[in-house]
Amino acid sequence: KIHAVSSLEKVFAADTEYSPAAFDGFSMLKGETSAFQVAAWFEPDEALPFLGDPTFELVSDISDLCTVSLVEETPADIPAPAVHDGDFLSDKPGLFPDLLVPFTTSDKQFPFPGFRWRVLWVDVEVPEDAKAGSYDVTVILKNYGKELGRATVTVKIIDAVLPEQTLKYINWFHCDCLASYYKVPLLGEEHWVLIENYIRTAVKYGLNFLLTPIFTPPLDTAVGGERPTVQLIDVTVTDGVYSFGFEKFERFVRMAQRCGIKYFEISHLFTQWGANHAPKVMATVDGEYKRIFGWDTAAVGEEYTAFLTALAPALIAETDRLGIRDICYFHVSDEPSLDHLEQYGKAANLAHRLFEGFNFIDALSNVDFYDTGLVHIPIPATNHVATFLERDLPERWTYYCCGQYMGTSNRFLAMPSRRNRVLGLQLYKYSMDGFLQWGYNFWYSVHSKTLIDPFRVTDGRMVWPAGDPFVVYPGADGTPLISLRLKVFHDGFEDMRACQLLESLIGREAVVALIDEELDEPLTFTNGYQCSTKLLEKREKINALIEQNL
C-alpha cells in the first residue's frame, strides 16, 4: 500500500488501523516551501517475504525543486500534561513521528521492515523566478529495481511571490547546548562553526530575532546552579575598575547578520522567575579569571548596580559603533508572576535608567507589569494575550511554552499538526508584531542540570510535554536535523504571509472574514481549527483568491 498524504498527517509506524485521507495535491506561491508525504505499508507474504533493497525514485518536471527525507519516530515519556483538553493524538508514552532524516543525492535506500508504515517527507521549494503552472510529482517505491507502487500529487505554482516575513520571531538559541553536545571548547573555533550552522537553519525557518548572550543567559537554571559559560563580553577588573572587551560580541553580531538576523535581544540582566539575582558573570580580576556575580549577588544591590552602571555606557557605545542600536531589545527577567511585581519593578527601573531609549521586552502574562510602565513591550502567553490586546501596545507580541495546551496552538510531539500550523492564521488575524518560543535547541534536562540525548529524551527528563524544549536534533556533521514540527510551524508563517499578500489585493476585512468563514466560532488564540482538511482547504481558498485578484 502506498499513499500520498498531506504534511499535516502524523503517521505512526505500528498503526494498523490508519486509513490515509485522500490527498492529490496543493497550490503554492513562488518563494515558498511546501511539502507532502508518502506513506507506504509493506505486508510480507510467501512471494515477497522481505525487502532486500528498498529504494525510491522521484519523477517530476520540478524534481530539482524537491528534496526527500525519511520520517523517523522519537520517544516521548510525557506526551501530554496529566490534565489536558483531549486534543492530543495520544497521552500515553510511546514513539511519535518527528525526526526528518534527509537522503543524500546518491543513496535512496532505506530500511523497510514488514507490517509497519514507512513515510517519506517531500519538500517542494519554489524559487521566486520559477515558472508558474501545474506539475505532477511522483514517488515510486522499488525493490531490487522492481516497482512496488507509486503515489502522485499535483503541485500548482501560482504566478505570485510570497511577501517577505515581517513578523519578529524569537526562538531561544542556546549556544551552550551546542558546545555540550558536540564536546567542543566553549566559544572556540569549532563552537563558532556550529553556532553559525544552527543560526543559518533557524533563519531559513523564520527566525530573525536572536538571543545574544552578553553574559550566560539566566534561563532555566537551578537556583545555585550554573550553565556553561557563553559570555560575549569580556570583563576585566583592575584595582576595582571595570573595563570591557567586545570582540566576541562584534563577531557574534556580524556573523548573525551575515546569516540573515535582523534584530538582537540582549540576554536577561537578572535571573528568571523574580529578578532576585544577577546572572552569572565571569571576569579577569587582577589577573585571575573567576565568577564575580551569580546567585549570591542581589539583583539591585550595590555591587551589581555599580557593575551595570559601568557596563551601560560601554555597551551603548558598542551598539552605536556596530550600527545596531535601533535593532537591540533588552530583557529584565523572564516570566515574573504578580508576586514578583515589586522586585521586578526595582530591577526594571534600574535597567530602564541605565539603558534609556532602548526597548525592553519580557515574557510575562499579568497586564499590571505593562500598566505600571515596567515593561515597554510585554510578551504574554497565548492564553493570556486577549487582555493585553485591549491595550494600545507599541508592539503586539505573544508566546507559548509548556503551559499552553488548553485549546491553544502549540507544537508538542503528541499534538495534531493542525494545532501547530494554525498559529499563522492566529498571528495574522490579530495583527501580531512578534512571537516567542523558548526552545530551538535546548538539549539539557530541566533547570539545565544534565545534558540529554535529544534522540531519546524529548521532555527534559519527564517534565515538559515532549517536543517543548527543541525543534532541531544534532546532526553528526555539525548541522541540525530538522523536525517535522519545525516544517509545519514554518508552514503557518507562510500562511500568514499569504494572508498579507491577499490583504493587499482585497483588503484586511475580507481576509479576516475568510479565515472565520465556516467555523463554529471565530478564530482566537484559544480556539483553532478542529479539522486538518479544513485548514488545508482554507489555504487553498487564500491562494485561489490571490490568483483571481492579481
Side-chain angles (χ1 to χ4, degrees):
K1 293 182 287 188
I2 177 169
H3 306 270
V5 299
S6 83
S7 59
L8 294 186
E9 295 284 321
K10 288 187 177 181
V11 184
F12 292 82
D15 186 359
T16 58
E17 303 299 319
Y18 175 63
S19 179
F23 183 77
D24 57 9
F26 53 91
S27 62
M28 58 189 302
L29 305 178
K30 297 179 180 181
E32 182 172 16
T33 300
S34 294
F36 67 97
Q37 300 177 88
V38 174
W41 173 275
F42 170 55
E43 192 162 320
D45 56 26
E46 289 185 6
L48 191 62
F50 64 92
L51 296 178
D53 186 39
T55 60
F56 73 89
E57 180 182 355
L58 189 145
V59 179
S60 176
D61 289 341
I62 57 169
S63 59
D64 59 321
L65 306 182
C66 301
T67 56
V68 184
S69 303
L70 184 65
V71 181
E72 297 280 18
E73 294 182 321
T74 53
D77 288 322
I78 306 293
V83 178
H84 57 80
D85 61 5
D87 193 14
F88 282 75
L89 298 172
S90 174
D91 57 7
K92 303 295 190 294
L95 298 172
F96 292 80
D98 191 54
L99 173 63
L100 302 182
V101 181
F103 289 94
T104 65
T105 55
S106 57
D107 183 13
K108 307 299 184 186
Q109 201 271 346
F110 60 99
F112 201 150
F115 300 111
R116 61 171 290 153
W117 291 99
R118 289 300 256 164
V119 182
L120 301 177
W121 179 280
V122 183
D123 278 313
V124 184
E125 186 171 358
V126 177
E128 293 185 2
D129 60 355
K131 183 179 179 181
S134 293
Y135 303 89
D136 286 344
V137 180
T138 299
V139 175
I140 305 169
L141 291 188
K142 296 182 177 182
N143 187 44
Y144 291 117
K146 180 182 178 181
E147 181 174 332
L148 298 178
R150 62 176 59 199
T152 299
V153 301
T154 300
V155 178
K156 181 179 180 180
I157 300 175
I158 295 172
D159 195 15
V161 176
L162 192 72
E164 184 177 357
Q165 178 182 312
T166 57
L167 182 86
K168 297 171 181 174
Y169 170 44
I170 294 170
N171 199 185
W172 278 343
F173 189 97
H174 301 277
C175 294
D176 52 352
C177 290
L178 296 176
S180 295
Y181 184 87
Y182 288 100
K183 296 180 173 54
V184 298
L186 290 156
L187 297 180
E189 290 306 312
E190 293 172 294
H191 194 196
W192 281 105
V193 171
L194 291 168
I195 291 170
E196 182 163 353
N197 288 345
Y198 276 75
I199 289 177
R200 285 192 182 279
T201 297
V203 169
K204 180 177 180 180
Y205 292 97
L207 185 84
N208 55 17
F209 210 130
L210 185 61
L211 180 63
T212 304
I214 59 169
F215 306 116
T216 302
L219 298 170
D220 207 78
T221 306
V223 175
E226 290 187 9
R227 291 178 62 160
T229 302
V230 281
Q231 179 175 317
L232 295 177
I233 296 179
D234 292 324
V235 180
T236 302
V237 186
T238 304
D239 295 332
V241 178
Y242 293 108
S243 59
F244 305 96
F246 293 97
E247 293 82 4
K248 296 185 187 76
F249 179 77
E250 179 180 5
R251 180 175 181 177
F252 187 86
V253 167
R254 294 307 187 212
M255 177 264 294
Q257 290 180 319
R258 188 168 64 247
C259 292
I261 292 296
K262 297 181 178 179
Y263 306 94
F264 297 91
E265 50 167 337
I266 304 302
S267 55
H268 301 71
L269 299 176
F270 304 91
T271 53
Q272 194 173 23
W273 305 312
N276 288 309
H277 307 278
K280 173 185 175 181
V281 178
M282 302 295 292
T284 301
V285 182
D286 297 325
E288 180 186 1
Y289 187 66
K290 63 180 182 179
R291 181 177 63 80
I292 59 171
F293 300 120
W295 289 108
D296 53 352
T297 309
V300 290
E302 183 177 344
E303 291 182 349
Y304 190 56
T305 297
F307 172 77
L308 288 180
T309 301
L311 171 67
L315 179 54
I316 292 170
E318 182 67 10
T319 64
D320 286 338
R321 187 181 74 84
L322 298 178
I324 61 172
R325 174 194 277 252
D326 294 339
I327 55 174
C328 280
Y329 290 58
F330 280 77
H331 286 291
V332 175
S333 173
D334 187 51
E335 291 188 318
S337 69
L338 192 57
D339 293 339
H340 304 135
L341 184 65
E342 181 179 357
Q343 175 61 27
Y344 181 94
K346 294 177 182 178
N349 288 332
L350 172 62
H352 293 178
R353 175 173 60 82
L354 294 176
F355 295 96
E356 185 178 1
F358 286 85
N359 282 316
F360 278 82
I361 59 174
D362 270 323
L364 46 82
S365 293
N366 190 292
V367 76
D368 288 3
F369 287 88
Y370 177 72
D371 288 344
T372 54
L374 297 181
V375 61
H376 303 146
I377 301 171
I379 309 179
T382 50
N383 55 331
H384 295 284
V385 69
T387 301
F388 286 81
L389 295 181
E390 297 172 358
R391 305 299 195 266
D392 184 20
L393 301 169
E395 294 184 21
R396 295 157 72 96
W397 284 69
T398 190
Y399 81 99
Y400 61 52
C401 63
C402 58
Q404 284 62 59
Y405 53 85
M406 299 297 287
T408 58
S409 57
N410 215 312
R411 58 191 192 192
F412 303 147
L413 281 172
M415 276 186 169
S417 284
R418 58 175 166 76
R419 290 189 73 170
N420 184 350
R421 181 166 174 170
V422 75
L423 176 70
L425 296 183
Q426 293 168 329
L427 294 170
Y428 171 78
K429 181 179 177 180
Y430 289 94
S431 301
M432 304 306 291
D433 296 294
F435 180 77
L436 179 149
Q437 204 278 344
W438 76 280
Y440 174 65
N441 64 319
F442 187 79
W443 300 329
Y444 295 142
S445 66
V446 65
H447 293 163
S448 305
K449 292 182 178 179
T450 60
L451 179 70
I452 57 96
D453 177 357
F455 297 100
R456 298 175 62 86
V457 178
T458 55
D459 49 22
R461 293 207 189 281
M462 303 181 72
V463 175
W464 303 300
D468 186 42
F470 59 84
V471 287
V472 293
Y473 296 81
D477 64 351
T479 61
L481 294 171
I482 309 304
S483 67
L484 178 156
R485 292 171 297 120
L486 181 56
K487 295 277 189 179
V488 172
F489 178 85
H490 189 245
D491 287 342
F493 277 13
E494 292 184 327
D495 293 342
M496 172 187 63
R497 293 156 64 188
C499 286
Q500 291 168 340
L501 175 56
L502 182 58
E503 177 183 326
S504 71
L505 300 172
I506 66 172
R508 176 172 173 78
E509 184 176 340
V511 179
V512 171
L514 174 63
I515 290 173
D516 287 338
E517 186 180 76
E518 300 173 352
L519 294 179
D520 294 335
E521 298 178 16
L523 181 69
T524 68
F525 279 106
T526 54
N527 173 42
Y529 281 67
Q530 298 302 308
C531 173
S532 297
T533 301
K534 287 186 177 179
L535 183 55
L536 293 171
E537 289 174 347
K538 191 67 63 174
R539 177 56 199 275
E540 291 301 320
K541 290 182 179 180
I542 291 168
N543 284 354
L545 283 172
I546 290 172
E547 188 173 34
Q548 291 171 20
N549 288 278
L550 286 174

